[in-house]
């Protein structure tokens, strides 16, 4: 569907939304069906999870949304959620008579968009369509990022709806922009996001705060000729996406780190050396990546984000609220990446000392790391463009604010990538995907440099505080409060605090990644 | 006739057999679904009868697999909640508590109680629906002024 069609369809929404309802309890199923009909959705019901899967597999485009009970005899509801998310990438809402937070958490971890408690009221069902819209928008955004390298860059950027904006006015603004783009539909001259330009952008974002970071305001503040709102919007979108990734990674890393610290009772940087790009070579990462593929990370993340979005109403978008991001597999993979990659940009500039005082987690070189291949692909353009290696160390250490954004760097325009990419890759010995990914993780890692390990809670705090003046800078203040602000700090303390803060790492799972010493 | 029906219904609520959920169900009943509530109730009783049987068998076996019993009861509770069967729901909750405590004696006792409540509710609802049908389905759907 073109954007125009989408927008029109959205006017119709949520009428006629196609829902698949799964519940082994006939009574509940019947009631659910009627409720959904009352909401004017198109309903299909089944009392078997297997049947539901078959229906879904038969035609992926047949349904918009799945509602599933948790306790079912033939298949665990959580498993169904996972599978649907993996295979069909549809939003799934869980239904249960339990309101146990642990179950809710489990649902979220498995990728559920929402969790409803029986008996379900019609009011709750009236709003479930939001998950469909959100998910499809996010998907579009991902697609747009992937295709930003393509010719008509400006347009495609706008086509990717900024998925994670919760605020309706922003949404509307974006829609307008998209419509403009659609109408215009010409190739616009590419904007090259130079470092200066990007700094201005950062300053503007910083000034308005991430919550108020709308392209219009940023554009005004930047006060640059020949820069359109669309350009700013597109840059902002990428920025946010990368930020989200970073936050993900941070969480993952925190999770992973703590797990590893627990495992190996790390002390000091040395242990992190162990984490060096191990799964060396892409093989392991392929494994990891493969695992990741099961959870199309962006989409799942999107799902996760979207599930958290309504609750948190935070533009930073990723209101984890201290919950580790599901699915943990992806997180793990990301963690791998994080740990191993460290700061490509840094290393490139520093000629990468394995352990620099600030880079606790800096591996020697990011070698053959391509953990999240999917993320890689998606972020490739953005990251490559954005994070060229030209992040002066001084910036990083002196100005935390500028720091991360310097990472996001020099150009958002994918087209700039070529030079940056190659040089970047060369420097850091990364394949571009790696670089891309590394880049996206950099800000967080850089932050880590300053603040050491981020525990999931901290990251959550960061995310939450992203609405503060730091804007997107992930609540540095909070971090600093929570952790050692000093660069070196005592790793032990960090590790210990992480360990205590870490919640169940139980789901560390498959993935082929292995920490090789 | 109408009044009688309304009275019976009211008493069911007053006595705690039914709760707001039942009212929600009634809201859902309309011209497109004229006998919705009755249908759901029928489904419920059919389902729950089966569950009760299962539980009974499990209890008779004497092995007291609390997990399994808990599972059954969870299901039972789910559907009872959905239909608004308040007293039955309460018994379910108690039963599960006993399961969790591993209290076999408590389970048996509660189960007896549960069966009783269930049977009572069934009878009462059947009565209610019968009267309601006699009074005329359309009137039921509309709220009395």
């Amino acid at each position: 569907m073109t954007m125009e069609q989408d927008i029109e369809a959205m006017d119709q929404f949520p009428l006629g939304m196609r829902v698949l309802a799964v519940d082994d309890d006939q009574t509940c199923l019947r009631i659910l069906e009627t409720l959904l009909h009352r909401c004017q959705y198109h309903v299909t019901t089944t009392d078997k999870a297997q049947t539901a899967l078959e229906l879904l597999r038969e035609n992926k485009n047949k349904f918009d949304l799945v509602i599933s009970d948790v306790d079912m005899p033939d298949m665990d509801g959580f498993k169904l959620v996972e599978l649907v998310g993996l295979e069909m990438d549809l939003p799934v809402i869980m239904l249960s008579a339990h309101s146990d937070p642990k179950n809710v958490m489990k649902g979220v971890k498995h990728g559920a968009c929402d969790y409803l408690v029986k008996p379900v009221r019609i009011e709750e069902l009236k709003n479930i369509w939001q998950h469909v819209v959100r998910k499809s928008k996010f998907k579009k955004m991902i697609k747009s990022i992937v295709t930003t390298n393509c010719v008509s860059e400006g347009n495609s950027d706008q086509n990717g709806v900024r998925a994670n904006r919760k605020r309706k006015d922003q949404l509307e603004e974006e829609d307008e922009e998209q419509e403009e783009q659609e109408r215009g539909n010409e190739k616009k001259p590419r904007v090259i996001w130079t470092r200066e330009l990007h700094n201005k952008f950062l300053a503007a974002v910083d000034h308005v705060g991430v919550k108020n970071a709308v392209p219009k305001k940023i554009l005004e503040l930047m006060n640059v000729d020949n820069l359109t709102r669309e350009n700013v919007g597109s840059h902002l979108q990428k920025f946010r996406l990368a930020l989200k990734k970073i936050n993900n990674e941070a969480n993952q890393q925190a999770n992973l780190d703590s797990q590893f610290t627990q495992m190996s009772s790390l002390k000091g940087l040395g242990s992190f050396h162990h984490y060096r790009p191990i799964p060396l070579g892409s093989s392991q990462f392929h494994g990891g990546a493969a695992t990741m593929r099961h959870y199309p990370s962006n989409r799942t993340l999107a799902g996760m984000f979207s599930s958290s979005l309504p609750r948190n109403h935070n533009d930073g978008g990723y209101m984890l609220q201290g919950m580790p991001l599901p699915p943990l597999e992806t997180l793990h993979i990301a963690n791998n990446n994080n740990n191993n990659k460290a700061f490509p940009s840094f290393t490139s500039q520093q000629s990468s000392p394995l352990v620099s005082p600030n880079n606790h987690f800096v591996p020697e070189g990011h070698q053959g790391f391509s953990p999240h291949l999917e993320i890689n692909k998606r972020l490739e353009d953005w990251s490559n463009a954005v994070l060229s290696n030209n992040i002066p160390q001084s910036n990083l250490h002196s100005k935390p604010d500028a720091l991360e954004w310097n990472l996001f760097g020099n150009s958002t325009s994918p087209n700039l990538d070529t030079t940056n990419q190659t040089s970047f890759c060369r420097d850091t010995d990364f394949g571009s995907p790696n670089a891309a990914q590394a880049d996206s993780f950099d800000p967080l890692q850089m932050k880590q440099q300053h603040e050491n390990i981020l525990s999931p809670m901290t990251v959550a705090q960061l995310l939450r505080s992203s609405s503060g003046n730091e804007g997107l800078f992930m609540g540095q203040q909070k971090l600093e409060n929570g952790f050692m602000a000093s660069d070196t700090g005592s790793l032990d303390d960090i590790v210990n605090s992480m360990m205590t803060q870490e919640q169940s790492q139980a789901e560390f799972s498959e993935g082929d990644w292995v920490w090789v010493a | 006739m109408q009044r009688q029906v309304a009275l019976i219904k009211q008493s069911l609520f007053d006595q705690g057999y039914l709760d707001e959920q039942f009212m929600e169900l009634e809201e859902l009943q309309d011209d497109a679904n004229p006998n919705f509530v009755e249908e759901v109730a029928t489904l419920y009783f059919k389902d729950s009868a089966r569950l009760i049987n299962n539980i009974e068998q499990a209890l008779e076996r004497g092995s007291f697999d609390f997990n399994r019993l808990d599972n059954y009861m969870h299901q039972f509770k789910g559907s009872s909640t959905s239909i608004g069967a308040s007293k039955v729901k309460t018994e379910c909750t108690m039963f599960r508590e006993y399961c969790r405590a591993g209290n076999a004696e408590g389970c048996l006792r509660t189960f007896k109680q549960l069966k009783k409540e269930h049977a009572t509710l069934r009878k009462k609802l059947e009565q209610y629906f019968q009267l309601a049908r006699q009074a005329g389905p359309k009137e039921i759907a509309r709220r009395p002024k």
Side-chain angles (χ1 to χ4, degrees), chain A residues 36-169:
Chain A
L36 290 168
H37 271 133
R38 200 40 94 75
C39 299
Q40 295 182 284
Y41 302 144
H42 185 269
V43 189
T44 312
T45 59
T46 172
D47 62 347
K48 293 264 184 324
Q50 254 331 107
T51 318
L53 271 177
E54 280 164 26
L55 279 172
L56 288 166
R57 281 174 184 151
E58 195 181 293
N59 183 351
K60 298 197 176 160
N61 292 325
K62 216 166 160 196
F63 298 102
D64 298 309
L65 180 76
V66 179
I67 298 186
S68 166
D69 185 37
V70 163
D71 315 287
M72 289 191 288
D74 63 332
M75 186 190 297
D76 180 23
F78 295 116
K79 188 93 183 119
L80 180 64
V81 170
E82 264 185 51
L83 286 173
V84 173
L86 275 181
E87 297 184 26
M88 295 105 203
D89 193 30
L90 287 175
V92 184
I93 294 179
M94 308 231 63
L95 203 56
S96 175
H98 284 307
S99 62
D100 183 8
K102 288 203 208 102
N103 266 7
V104 180
M105 167 75 95
K106 206 172 166 193
V108 174
K109 279 191 189 166
H110 287 263
C113 290
D114 206 347
Y115 190 103
L116 301 177
V117 181
K118 290 184 192 173
V120 183
R121 293 165 311 151
I122 197 164
E123 294 83 23
E124 292 171 335
L125 290 176
K126 282 197 175 138
N127 286 331
I128 57 177
W129 59 268
Q130 62 178 291
H131 300 293
V132 179
V133 176
R134 198 175 290 118
K135 205 156 190 151
S136 74
K137 281 189 165 206
F138 190 80
K139 271 199 239 183
K140 289 201 189 78
M141 182 172 101
I142 297 303
K143 259 193 226 156
S144 79
I145 289 185
V146 173
T147 58
T148 41
N149 233 1
C150 298
V151 177
S152 58
E153 154 236 359
N155 290 340
S156 60
D157 281 342
Q158 293 304 321
N159 282 342
V161 182
R162 290 141 206 183
N164 295 313
R165 297 276 194 94
K166 291 153 229 161
R167 286 198 272 134
K168 205 171 172 230
D169 53 346

Side-chain angles (χ1 to χ4, degrees), chain B residues 61 119 123-124:
Chain B
R61 257 180 267 138
K123 217 166 52 175
K124 287 195 184 262

Side-chain angles (χ1 to χ4, degrees), chain A residues 24-28 30-31 34-35 37-38 69 71 73 96-98 118-123, chain B residues 21 24-25 27-30 33 36 39-40 43-44 47 74-75 77-79 81-83 96:
Chain A
D24 64 314
D25 185 329
Q26 291 288 345
T27 318
C28 299
R30 183 79 175 84
I31 296 175
T34 312
L35 285 170
H37 271 133
R38 200 40 94 75
D69 185 37
D71 315 287
S96 175
H98 284 307
K118 290 184 192 173
V120 183
R121 293 165 311 151
I122 197 164
E123 294 83 23
Chain B
Q21 180 62 19
E24 295 268 345
L25 294 182
E27 293 282 335
L28 287 176
Q29 187 162 288
D30 57 11
N33 274 318
F36 176 65
E39 278 174 31
V40 173
L43 269 174
Y44 168 69
D47 231 14
H74 173 71
Q75 267 187 290
K77 184 169 174 220
S79 43
T81 319
S82 298
I83 198 181
R96 296 187 79 204

Side-chain angles (χ1 to χ4, degrees), chain B residues 102-145:
Chain B
N103 184 342
E105 159 88 30
C107 283
L108 283 169
R109 246 185 305 129
T110 316
F111 185 61
K112 271 210 192 93
Q113 188 67 18
L114 189 150
K115 274 199 291 184
K116 206 174 90 181
E117 292 293 344
H118 183 256
T120 315
L121 181 67
R122 184 179 203 156
K123 217 166 52 175
K124 287 195 184 262
L125 275 179
E126 275 173 7
Q127 223 175 34
Y128 169 70
F129 285 128
Q130 209 169 21
L131 265 178
R133 250 180 283 130
Q134 283 173 19
K138 289 220 174 116
E139 278 96 277
I140 298 299
R142 278 187 238 115
R143 286 250 165 267
K145 299 218 165 101

Side-chain angles (χ1 to χ4, degrees), chain A residues 348-486:
Chain A
S348 64
Q349 286 160 16
Q350 304 167 11
S351 13
S352 71
L354 214 196
V355 177
S356 71
N358 298 331
N359 300 351
H360 296 293
F361 303 105
V362 178
E364 211 152 30
H366 321 287
Q367 301 164 15
F369 230 96
S370 54
H372 301 275
L373 288 180
E374 284 190 20
I375 292 185
N376 282 338
K377 280 187 219 132
R378 293 189 202 105
L379 292 178
E380 192 165 344
D381 299 326
W382 157 243
S383 305
N384 284 336
V386 156
L387 296 179
S388 56
N389 10 3
N390 306 321
I391 299 162
Q393 279 292 304
S394 56
N395 280 358
L396 289 172
H397 296 290
S398 56
K399 281 198 300 175
D401 284 357
L403 184 147
E404 280 141 16
W405 300 116
N406 271 330
L407 283 183
F408 284 97
N410 296 336
S411 69
T412 15
S413 156
N415 299 308
L416 249 198
D417 299 346
T418 33
T419 32
N420 286 341
Q421 255 177 353
T422 35
S423 59
F424 182 86
C425 295
R426 265 183 258 123
D427 284 349
T428 59
D429 194 9
F430 261 110
S432 61
N434 291 340
Q437 204 159 9
D439 290 341
S440 61
F441 300 145
D442 279 358
L444 182 63
Q445 290 186 331
M446 284 164 67
K447 230 188 193 335
Q448 284 175 342
Q449 283 189 341
H450 291 273
E451 276 96 20
N452 299 318
I453 304 171
L454 297 174
S455 77
M457 273 166 49
T458 321
V459 172
Q461 286 171 357
L462 288 180
L463 295 174
R464 249 182 265 127
S465 69
S466 63
S467 57
N469 16 356
E470 271 111 357
L472 296 158
F473 307 141
M474 300 194 276
Q476 242 182 339
Q477 287 172 353
K478 279 200 181 169
L479 254 193
E480 285 166 1
N481 291 339
F483 290 89
M484 272 117 350
S486 71

